CSV table of all heavy atoms in Angstrom, one decimal:
chain,number,residue,atom,x,y,z
A,13,MET,N,92.4,-56.5,95.0
A,13,MET,CA,93.4,-55.5,94.9
A,13,MET,C,93.3,-54.6,96.2
A,13,MET,O,92.3,-54.1,96.6
A,13,MET,CB,93.2,-54.7,93.7
A,13,MET,CG,94.3,-53.7,93.4
A,13,MET,SD,94.0,-52.9,91.8
A,13,MET,CE,94.8,-51.4,92.1
A,14,GLN,N,94.5,-54.3,96.7
A,14,GLN,CA,94.5,-53.5,97.9
A,14,GLN,C,95.2,-52.1,97.6
A,14,GLN,O,96.2,-52.1,97.0
A,14,GLN,CB,95.4,-54.2,99.0
A,14,GLN,CG,95.2,-53.7,100.4
A,14,GLN,CD,96.0,-54.6,101.4
A,14,GLN,OE1,96.9,-55.2,101.0
A,14,GLN,NE2,95.5,-54.7,102.6
A,15,LEU,N,94.5,-51.1,98.0
A,15,LEU,CA,95.0,-49.7,97.7
A,15,LEU,C,95.5,-49.2,99.0
A,15,LEU,O,95.0,-49.3,100.1
A,15,LEU,CB,93.8,-48.8,97.2
A,15,LEU,CG,93.2,-49.2,95.9
A,15,LEU,CD1,92.0,-48.3,95.6
A,15,LEU,CD2,94.2,-49.1,94.8
A,16,GLY,N,96.7,-48.5,98.9
A,16,GLY,CA,97.3,-47.8,100.1
A,16,GLY,C,96.9,-46.4,100.2
A,16,GLY,O,96.5,-45.8,99.2
A,17,GLY,N,97.1,-45.8,101.3
A,17,GLY,CA,96.8,-44.4,101.5
A,17,GLY,C,97.9,-43.8,102.4
A,17,GLY,O,98.7,-44.5,103.0
A,18,THR,N,98.0,-42.5,102.3
A,18,THR,CA,99.0,-41.7,103.1
A,18,THR,C,98.3,-40.6,103.8
A,18,THR,O,97.5,-39.9,103.3
A,18,THR,CB,100.0,-41.1,102.1
A,18,THR,OG1,100.6,-42.1,101.3
A,18,THR,CG2,101.1,-40.3,102.9
A,19,VAL,N,98.6,-40.5,105.1
A,19,VAL,CA,98.1,-39.5,105.9
A,19,VAL,C,99.1,-38.3,105.8
A,19,VAL,O,100.3,-38.5,105.9
A,19,VAL,CB,97.9,-39.9,107.4
A,19,VAL,CG1,97.5,-38.7,108.3
A,19,VAL,CG2,96.9,-41.0,107.5
A,20,TYR,N,98.6,-37.1,105.7
A,20,TYR,CA,99.5,-35.9,105.6
A,20,TYR,C,98.9,-34.8,106.4
A,20,TYR,O,97.7,-34.7,106.6
A,20,TYR,CB,99.7,-35.6,104.1
A,20,TYR,CG,98.5,-35.1,103.4
A,20,TYR,CD1,98.1,-33.8,103.2
A,20,TYR,CD2,97.6,-36.1,102.8
A,20,TYR,CE1,97.0,-33.4,102.5
A,20,TYR,CE2,96.5,-35.7,102.1
A,20,TYR,CZ,96.2,-34.3,101.9
A,20,TYR,OH,95.1,-33.9,101.3
A,21,ILE,N,99.8,-33.9,106.8
A,21,ILE,CA,99.4,-32.7,107.6
A,21,ILE,C,99.9,-31.5,106.8
A,21,ILE,O,101.1,-31.4,106.5
A,21,ILE,CB,99.9,-32.7,109.0
A,21,ILE,CG1,99.3,-34.0,109.7
A,21,ILE,CG2,99.5,-31.5,109.7
A,21,ILE,CD1,99.9,-34.2,111.1
A,22,LEU,N,99.0,-30.5,106.6
A,22,LEU,CA,99.4,-29.2,106.0
A,22,LEU,C,99.1,-28.1,107.0
A,22,LEU,O,98.3,-28.2,107.9
A,22,LEU,CB,98.5,-29.0,104.8
A,22,LEU,CG,98.6,-29.9,103.6
A,22,LEU,CD1,97.6,-29.5,102.5
A,22,LEU,CD2,100.0,-29.9,103.0
A,23,THR,N,99.9,-27.0,106.8
A,23,THR,CA,99.6,-25.8,107.7
A,23,THR,C,99.8,-24.6,106.8
A,23,THR,O,100.3,-24.7,105.6
A,23,THR,CB,100.6,-25.8,108.9
A,23,THR,OG1,100.2,-24.7,109.7
A,23,THR,CG2,102.0,-25.7,108.5
A,24,ASN,N,99.5,-23.5,107.3
A,24,ASN,CA,99.8,-22.2,106.6
A,24,ASN,C,101.1,-21.7,106.9
A,24,ASN,O,101.9,-22.2,107.7
A,24,ASN,CB,98.6,-21.2,106.9
A,24,ASN,CG,98.6,-20.8,108.3
A,24,ASN,OD1,99.3,-21.3,109.2
A,24,ASN,ND2,97.7,-19.9,108.6
A,25,VAL,N,101.5,-20.5,106.4
A,25,VAL,CA,102.8,-19.9,106.5
A,25,VAL,C,103.2,-19.7,108.0
A,25,VAL,O,104.3,-19.9,108.4
A,25,VAL,CB,102.9,-18.6,105.7
A,25,VAL,CG1,104.2,-17.9,105.9
A,25,VAL,CG2,102.7,-18.9,104.2
A,26,HIS,N,102.2,-19.2,108.7
A,26,HIS,CA,102.5,-18.9,110.1
A,26,HIS,C,102.2,-20.0,111.1
A,26,HIS,O,102.2,-19.8,112.3
A,26,HIS,CB,101.6,-17.7,110.5
A,26,HIS,CG,101.8,-16.5,109.6
A,26,HIS,ND1,103.0,-15.8,109.6
A,26,HIS,CD2,101.0,-15.9,108.7
A,26,HIS,CE1,102.9,-14.8,108.7
A,26,HIS,NE2,101.7,-14.9,108.1
A,27,ASN,N,102.0,-21.2,110.6
A,27,ASN,CA,101.7,-22.4,111.4
A,27,ASN,C,100.5,-22.2,112.4
A,27,ASN,O,100.6,-22.7,113.5
A,27,ASN,CB,103.0,-22.8,112.2
A,27,ASN,CG,104.1,-23.1,111.3
A,27,ASN,OD1,103.9,-23.6,110.2
A,27,ASN,ND2,105.3,-22.9,111.7
A,28,GLU,N,99.5,-21.5,112.0
A,28,GLU,CA,98.3,-21.2,112.8
A,28,GLU,C,97.2,-22.3,112.7
A,28,GLU,O,96.4,-22.4,113.6
A,28,GLU,CB,97.8,-19.8,112.5
A,28,GLU,CG,98.8,-18.7,112.7
A,28,GLU,CD,98.3,-17.4,112.2
A,28,GLU,OE1,97.5,-17.4,111.2
A,28,GLU,OE2,98.7,-16.4,112.7
A,29,VAL,N,97.1,-22.9,111.5
A,29,VAL,CA,96.0,-23.8,111.2
A,29,VAL,C,96.6,-25.1,110.8
A,29,VAL,O,97.6,-25.2,110.0
A,29,VAL,CB,95.1,-23.2,110.1
A,29,VAL,CG1,94.0,-24.2,109.8
A,29,VAL,CG2,94.6,-21.9,110.5
A,30,LEU,N,96.0,-26.3,111.2
A,30,LEU,CA,96.4,-27.6,110.7
A,30,LEU,C,95.3,-28.2,109.9
A,30,LEU,O,94.1,-28.1,110.2
A,30,LEU,CB,96.8,-28.5,111.9
A,30,LEU,CG,98.0,-28.2,112.7
A,30,LEU,CD1,98.2,-29.1,113.8
A,30,LEU,CD2,99.3,-28.2,111.8
A,31,TYR,N,95.7,-28.9,108.9
A,31,TYR,CA,94.8,-29.7,108.0
A,31,TYR,C,95.3,-31.1,107.9
A,31,TYR,O,96.5,-31.3,107.6
A,31,TYR,CB,94.6,-29.1,106.7
A,31,TYR,CG,93.8,-29.9,105.7
A,31,TYR,CD1,92.4,-29.9,105.8
A,31,TYR,CD2,94.4,-30.7,104.8
A,31,TYR,CE1,91.7,-30.7,104.9
A,31,TYR,CE2,93.7,-31.5,103.9
A,31,TYR,CZ,92.3,-31.5,104.0
A,31,TYR,OH,91.6,-32.3,103.2
A,32,ILE,N,94.5,-32.1,108.2
A,32,ILE,CA,94.9,-33.5,108.1
A,32,ILE,C,94.1,-34.1,107.0
A,32,ILE,O,92.9,-34.0,107.0
A,32,ILE,CB,94.6,-34.2,109.5
A,32,ILE,CG1,95.4,-33.6,110.6
A,32,ILE,CG2,95.0,-35.7,109.3
A,32,ILE,CD1,95.1,-34.1,112.0
A,33,GLY,N,94.8,-34.7,106.1
A,33,GLY,CA,94.2,-35.4,104.9
A,33,GLY,C,94.7,-36.7,104.7
A,33,GLY,O,95.7,-37.1,105.2
A,34,VAL,N,94.0,-37.5,103.9
A,34,VAL,CA,94.4,-38.9,103.5
A,34,VAL,C,94.2,-38.9,102.0
A,34,VAL,O,93.2,-38.5,101.4
A,34,VAL,CB,93.5,-39.9,104.1
A,34,VAL,CG1,93.9,-41.3,103.7
A,34,VAL,CG2,93.5,-39.8,105.6
A,35,THR,N,95.3,-39.5,101.3
A,35,THR,CA,95.2,-39.6,99.9
A,35,THR,C,96.0,-40.9,99.5
A,35,THR,O,96.9,-41.3,100.2
A,35,THR,CB,95.8,-38.4,99.2
A,35,THR,OG1,95.6,-38.5,97.8
A,35,THR,CG2,97.2,-38.2,99.5
A,36,SER,N,95.8,-41.4,98.3
A,36,SER,CA,96.6,-42.5,97.8
A,36,SER,C,97.5,-41.9,96.7
A,36,SER,O,98.3,-42.7,96.1
A,36,SER,CB,95.7,-43.5,97.2
A,36,SER,OG,94.9,-43.0,96.1
A,37,ASP,N,97.4,-40.6,96.4
A,37,ASP,CA,98.3,-40.0,95.4
A,37,ASP,C,98.8,-38.7,95.8
A,37,ASP,O,98.2,-37.6,95.5
A,37,ASP,CB,97.5,-39.9,94.0
A,37,ASP,CG,98.4,-39.5,92.9
A,37,ASP,OD1,99.6,-39.4,93.0
A,37,ASP,OD2,97.8,-39.3,91.8
A,38,MET,N,99.9,-38.7,96.6
A,38,MET,CA,100.4,-37.4,97.1
A,38,MET,C,100.9,-36.5,96.0
A,38,MET,O,100.8,-35.3,96.1
A,38,MET,CB,101.6,-37.8,98.0
A,38,MET,CG,101.2,-38.3,99.4
A,38,MET,SD,100.5,-37.1,100.5
A,38,MET,CE,102.0,-36.2,100.9
A,39,PHE,N,101.5,-37.0,95.0
A,39,PHE,CA,102.1,-36.2,93.9
A,39,PHE,C,101.0,-35.4,93.1
A,39,PHE,O,101.3,-34.4,92.5
A,39,PHE,CB,102.9,-37.1,92.9
A,39,PHE,CG,104.1,-37.7,93.6
A,39,PHE,CD1,104.1,-39.0,93.9
A,39,PHE,CD2,105.2,-36.9,93.9
A,39,PHE,CE1,105.2,-39.6,94.5
A,39,PHE,CE2,106.3,-37.4,94.6
A,39,PHE,CZ,106.3,-38.8,94.8
A,40,THR,N,99.8,-35.9,93.2
A,40,THR,CA,98.7,-35.1,92.6
A,40,THR,C,98.0,-34.2,93.6
A,40,THR,O,97.6,-33.1,93.3
A,40,THR,CB,97.7,-36.1,91.9
A,40,THR,OG1,98.3,-36.9,91.0
A,40,THR,CG2,96.5,-35.3,91.3
A,41,ARG,N,97.8,-34.7,94.8
A,41,ARG,CA,97.0,-34.0,95.8
A,41,ARG,C,97.6,-32.8,96.3
A,41,ARG,O,97.0,-31.7,96.5
A,41,ARG,CB,96.7,-35.0,96.9
A,41,ARG,CG,95.7,-34.4,97.9
A,41,ARG,CD,94.3,-34.3,97.2
A,41,ARG,NE,93.4,-33.7,98.2
A,41,ARG,CZ,92.6,-32.7,97.9
A,41,ARG,NH1,92.6,-32.1,96.7
A,41,ARG,NH2,91.8,-32.2,98.8
A,42,ILE,N,98.9,-32.8,96.6
A,42,ILE,CA,99.6,-31.6,97.2
A,42,ILE,C,99.5,-30.4,96.2
A,42,ILE,O,99.2,-29.3,96.6
A,42,ILE,CB,101.0,-32.0,97.7
A,42,ILE,CG1,100.9,-33.0,98.8
A,42,ILE,CG2,101.7,-30.7,98.2
A,42,ILE,CD1,100.1,-32.7,100.0
A,43,PRO,N,99.9,-30.6,94.9
A,43,PRO,CA,99.7,-29.5,94.0
A,43,PRO,C,98.3,-29.0,93.9
A,43,PRO,O,98.1,-27.8,93.6
A,43,PRO,CB,100.2,-30.1,92.7
A,43,PRO,CG,101.2,-31.2,93.0
A,43,PRO,CD,100.6,-31.8,94.3
A,44,GLU,N,97.3,-29.8,94.1
A,44,GLU,CA,95.9,-29.3,94.1
A,44,GLU,C,95.7,-28.4,95.2
A,44,GLU,O,95.0,-27.4,95.1
A,44,GLU,CB,94.9,-30.5,94.2
A,44,GLU,CG,94.8,-31.3,92.9
A,44,GLU,CD,93.9,-32.5,93.1
A,44,GLU,OE1,93.4,-32.8,94.2
A,44,GLU,OE2,93.6,-33.1,92.1
A,45,HIS,N,96.3,-28.6,96.4
A,45,HIS,CA,96.2,-27.7,97.5
A,45,HIS,C,96.9,-26.4,97.2
A,45,HIS,O,96.4,-25.3,97.5
A,45,HIS,CB,96.7,-28.3,98.8
A,45,HIS,CG,95.9,-29.4,99.4
A,45,HIS,ND1,94.6,-29.3,99.8
A,45,HIS,CD2,96.2,-30.7,99.6
A,45,HIS,CE1,94.2,-30.4,100.3
A,45,HIS,NE2,95.1,-31.3,100.2
A,46,ILE,N,98.1,-26.5,96.7
A,46,ILE,CA,98.9,-25.4,96.4
A,46,ILE,C,98.3,-24.4,95.4
A,46,ILE,O,98.3,-23.2,95.5
A,46,ILE,CB,100.3,-25.8,95.9
A,46,ILE,CG1,101.1,-26.5,97.1
A,46,ILE,CG2,101.1,-24.6,95.4
A,46,ILE,CD1,102.4,-27.1,96.7
A,47,ASN,N,97.7,-25.0,94.3
A,47,ASN,CA,97.1,-24.3,93.2
A,47,ASN,C,95.6,-23.9,93.5
A,47,ASN,O,95.0,-23.3,92.6
A,47,ASN,CB,97.2,-25.1,91.9
A,47,ASN,CG,98.6,-25.2,91.5
A,47,ASN,OD1,99.5,-24.3,91.7
A,47,ASN,ND2,99.0,-26.4,91.0
A,48,LYS,N,95.1,-24.3,94.6
A,48,LYS,CA,93.7,-24.0,95.0
A,48,LYS,C,92.7,-24.4,94.0
A,48,LYS,O,91.9,-23.6,93.5
A,48,LYS,CB,93.6,-22.5,95.4
A,48,LYS,CG,94.5,-22.1,96.5
A,48,LYS,CD,94.3,-20.6,96.9
A,48,LYS,CE,95.2,-20.3,98.0
A,48,LYS,NZ,95.0,-18.9,98.4
A,49,VAL,N,92.8,-25.7,93.6
A,49,VAL,CA,91.9,-26.3,92.6
A,49,VAL,C,90.5,-26.2,93.1
A,49,VAL,O,89.5,-26.0,92.3
A,49,VAL,CB,92.3,-27.7,92.3
A,49,VAL,CG1,91.3,-28.4,91.4
A,49,VAL,CG2,93.7,-27.7,91.6
A,50,TYR,N,90.2,-26.4,94.4
A,50,TYR,CA,88.9,-26.3,95.0
A,50,TYR,C,88.8,-25.0,95.8
A,50,TYR,O,89.2,-25.0,97.0
A,50,TYR,CB,88.6,-27.5,95.8
A,50,TYR,CG,88.8,-28.8,95.0
A,50,TYR,CD1,90.0,-29.6,95.2
A,50,TYR,CD2,87.9,-29.2,94.1
A,50,TYR,CE1,90.2,-30.8,94.5
A,50,TYR,CE2,88.1,-30.4,93.3
A,50,TYR,CZ,89.2,-31.1,93.5
A,50,TYR,OH,89.4,-32.3,92.8
A,51,PRO,N,88.4,-23.9,95.2
A,51,PRO,CA,88.5,-22.6,95.9
A,51,PRO,C,87.6,-22.5,97.2
A,51,PRO,O,87.9,-21.6,98.0
A,51,PRO,CB,88.0,-21.6,94.8
A,51,PRO,CG,87.4,-22.4,93.8
A,51,PRO,CD,87.9,-23.8,93.9
A,52,LYS,N,86.6,-23.3,97.4
A,52,LYS,CA,85.8,-23.2,98.6
A,52,LYS,C,86.2,-24.2,99.7
A,52,LYS,O,85.6,-24.3,100.7
A,52,LYS,CB,84.3,-23.4,98.2
A,52,LYS,CG,83.8,-22.4,97.3
A,52,LYS,CD,82.3,-22.6,97.1
A,52,LYS,CE,81.8,-21.4,96.2
A,52,LYS,NZ,80.3,-21.6,96.0
A,53,SER,N,87.3,-24.9,99.5
A,53,SER,CA,87.8,-25.8,100.4
A,53,SER,C,88.5,-25.2,101.6
A,53,SER,O,88.8,-24.0,101.6
A,53,SER,CB,88.8,-26.8,99.8
A,53,SER,OG,90.0,-26.2,99.5
A,54,PHE,N,88.6,-25.9,102.7
A,54,PHE,CA,89.3,-25.5,103.9
A,54,PHE,C,90.7,-25.0,103.7
A,54,PHE,O,91.1,-23.9,104.1
A,54,PHE,CB,89.3,-26.6,105.0
A,54,PHE,CG,89.9,-26.2,106.3
A,54,PHE,CD1,89.1,-25.6,107.3
A,54,PHE,CD2,91.2,-26.4,106.5
A,54,PHE,CE1,89.7,-25.3,108.5
A,54,PHE,CE2,91.8,-26.1,107.7
A,54,PHE,CZ,91.0,-25.5,108.7
A,55,THR,N,91.4,-25.8,102.9
A,55,THR,CA,92.8,-25.4,102.6
A,55,THR,C,93.0,-24.1,101.8
A,55,THR,O,93.9,-23.4,102.0
A,55,THR,CB,93.6,-26.6,102.0
A,55,THR,OG1,92.9,-26.9,100.8
A,55,THR,CG2,93.7,-27.8,102.9
A,56,SER,N,92.0,-23.9,100.9
A,56,SER,CA,92.1,-22.7,100.1
A,56,SER,C,91.7,-21.5,101.0
A,56,SER,O,92.3,-20.4,100.9
A,56,SER,CB,91.1,-22.8,99.0
A,56,SER,OG,91.5,-23.7,98.0
A,57,LYS,N,90.7,-21.7,101.8
A,57,LYS,CA,90.3,-20.6,102.7
A,57,LYS,C,91.3,-20.1,103.7
A,57,LYS,O,91.5,-18.9,103.9
A,57,LYS,CB,89.0,-21.0,103.5
A,57,LYS,CG,88.4,-20.0,104.4
A,57,LYS,CD,87.2,-20.5,105.0
A,57,LYS,CE,86.6,-19.4,106.0
A,57,LYS,NZ,85.4,-19.9,106.7
A,58,TYR,N,92.1,-21.1,104.2
A,58,TYR,CA,93.1,-20.8,105.2
A,58,TYR,C,94.5,-20.8,104.7
A,58,TYR,O,95.5,-20.8,105.5
A,58,TYR,CB,92.9,-21.7,106.5
A,58,TYR,CG,91.6,-21.4,107.2
A,58,TYR,CD1,90.5,-22.3,107.0
A,58,TYR,CD2,91.5,-20.4,108.1
A,58,TYR,CE1,89.3,-22.0,107.7
A,58,TYR,CE2,90.4,-20.1,108.7
A,58,TYR,CZ,89.3,-20.9,108.6
A,58,TYR,OH,88.1,-20.7,109.2
A,59,ASN,N,94.7,-20.9,103.4
A,59,ASN,CA,96.0,-20.9,102.8
A,59,ASN,C,96.9,-22.0,103.3
A,59,ASN,O,98.1,-21.8,103.6
A,59,ASN,CB,96.7,-19.6,102.8
A,59,ASN,CG,95.9,-18.5,102.1
A,59,ASN,OD1,95.4,-18.8,101.0
A,59,ASN,ND2,95.7,-17.4,102.7
A,60,CYS,N,96.4,-23.2,103.5
A,60,CYS,CA,97.2,-24.3,104.0
A,60,CYS,C,97.9,-25.0,102.8
A,60,CYS,O,97.2,-25.7,102.0
A,60,CYS,CB,96.4,-25.3,104.7
A,60,CYS,SG,95.6,-24.7,106.2
A,61,TYR,N,99.2,-24.9,102.6
A,61,TYR,CA,99.9,-25.6,101.6
A,61,TYR,C,101.3,-26.0,102.0
A,61,TYR,O,101.9,-26.7,101.2
A,61,TYR,CB,99.9,-24.6,100.3
A,61,TYR,CG,100.7,-23.4,100.6
A,61,TYR,CD1,102.1,-23.3,100.5
A,61,TYR,CD2,100.0,-22.2,100.9
A,61,TYR,CE1,102.8,-22.1,100.7
A,61,TYR,CE2,100.7,-21.0,101.1
A,61,TYR,CZ,102.1,-21.0,101.0
A,61,TYR,OH,102.8,-19.8,101.3
A,62,LYS,N,101.7,-25.7,103.2
A,62,LYS,CA,103.0,-26.2,103.6
A,62,LYS,C,102.9,-27.6,104.2
A,62,LYS,O,102.2,-27.8,105.2
A,62,LYS,CB,103.5,-25.1,104.6
A,62,LYS,CG,105.0,-25.4,105.1
A,62,LYS,CD,105.6,-24.2,105.8
A,62,LYS,CE,105.1,-24.2,107.2
A,62,LYS,NZ,105.8,-23.2,108.0
A,63,LEU,N,103.6,-28.5,103.6
A,63,LEU,CA,103.5,-29.9,104.1
A,63,LEU,C,104.4,-30.1,105.3
A,63,LEU,O,105.6,-29.8,105.3
A,63,LEU,CB,104.0,-30.8,103.0
A,63,LEU,CG,103.9,-32.3,103.2
A,63,LEU,CD1,102.5,-32.7,103.4
A,63,LEU,CD2,104.5,-33.1,102.1
A,64,VAL,N,103.8,-30.5,106.4
A,64,VAL,CA,104.5,-30.7,107.7
A,64,VAL,C,104.8,-32.2,107.9
A,64,VAL,O,105.9,-32.4,108.4
A,64,VAL,CB,103.6,-30.2,108.9
A,64,VAL,CG1,104.2,-30.4,110.2
A,64,VAL,CG2,103.2,-28.8,108.7
A,65,TYR,N,104.0,-33.1,107.5
A,65,TYR,CA,104.1,-34.5,107.8
A,65,TYR,C,103.4,-35.3,106.8
A,65,TYR,O,102.4,-35.0,106.3
A,65,TYR,CB,103.6,-34.8,109.2
A,65,TYR,CG,103.6,-36.3,109.6
A,65,TYR,CD1,104.8,-36.8,110.1
A,65,TYR,CD2,102.5,-37.1,109.4
A,65,TYR,CE1,104.8,-38.2,110.4
A,65,TYR,CE2,102.5,-38.4,109.7
A,65,TYR,CZ,103.7,-39.0,110.2
A,65,TYR,OH,103.7,-40.3,110.6
A,66,TYR,N,104.0,-36.5,106.5
A,66,TYR,CA,103.3,-37.5,105.7
A,66,TYR,C,103.8,-38.9,106.0
A,66,TYR,O,104.8,-39.0,106.6
A,66,TYR,CB,103.5,-37.2,104.2
A,66,TYR,CG,104.9,-37.5,103.6
A,66,TYR,CD1,105.2,-38.7,103.1
A,66,TYR,CD2,105.9,-36.5,103.7
A,66,TYR,CE1,106.5,-38.9,102.6
A,66,TYR,CE2,107.1,-36.7,103.2
A,66,TYR,CZ,107.5,-37.9,102.7
A,66,TYR,OH,108.7,-38.1,102.2
């Protein structure tokens, strides 16, 4: 079985920070960033939740 992945780029409101991630489930992963499910993560610390590219 072959699993696919998607590369995505997030930034903050002011476009000051970029975050590059890879996931196989975009519909679950992006809301995790928005809702800060992992409060000590890079995206939570720098408020990266605006999807720029996928």
Side-chain angles (χ1 to χ4, degrees):
M13 185 173 154
Q14 199 173 26
L15 297 176
T18 303
V19 175
Y20 62 96
I21 300 174
L22 298 174
T23 188
N24 61 356
V25 174
H26 304 292
N27 300 327
E28 298 171 334
V29 179
L30 291 177
Y31 172 81
I32 300 171
V34 178
T35 185
S36 60
D37 188 7
M38 286 286 288
F39 295 107
T40 302
R41 189 66 181 129
I42 299 302
E44 286 179 350
H45 289 299
I46 293 170
N47 296 323
K48 299 181 180 182
V49 173
Y50 305 104
K52 293 185 179 181
S53 70
F54 181 89
T55 56
S56 291
K57 182 178 179 181
Y58 292 101
N59 296 317
C60 296
Y61 60 85
K62 187 166 77 171
L63 184 63
V64 177
Y65 175 84
Y66 68 94

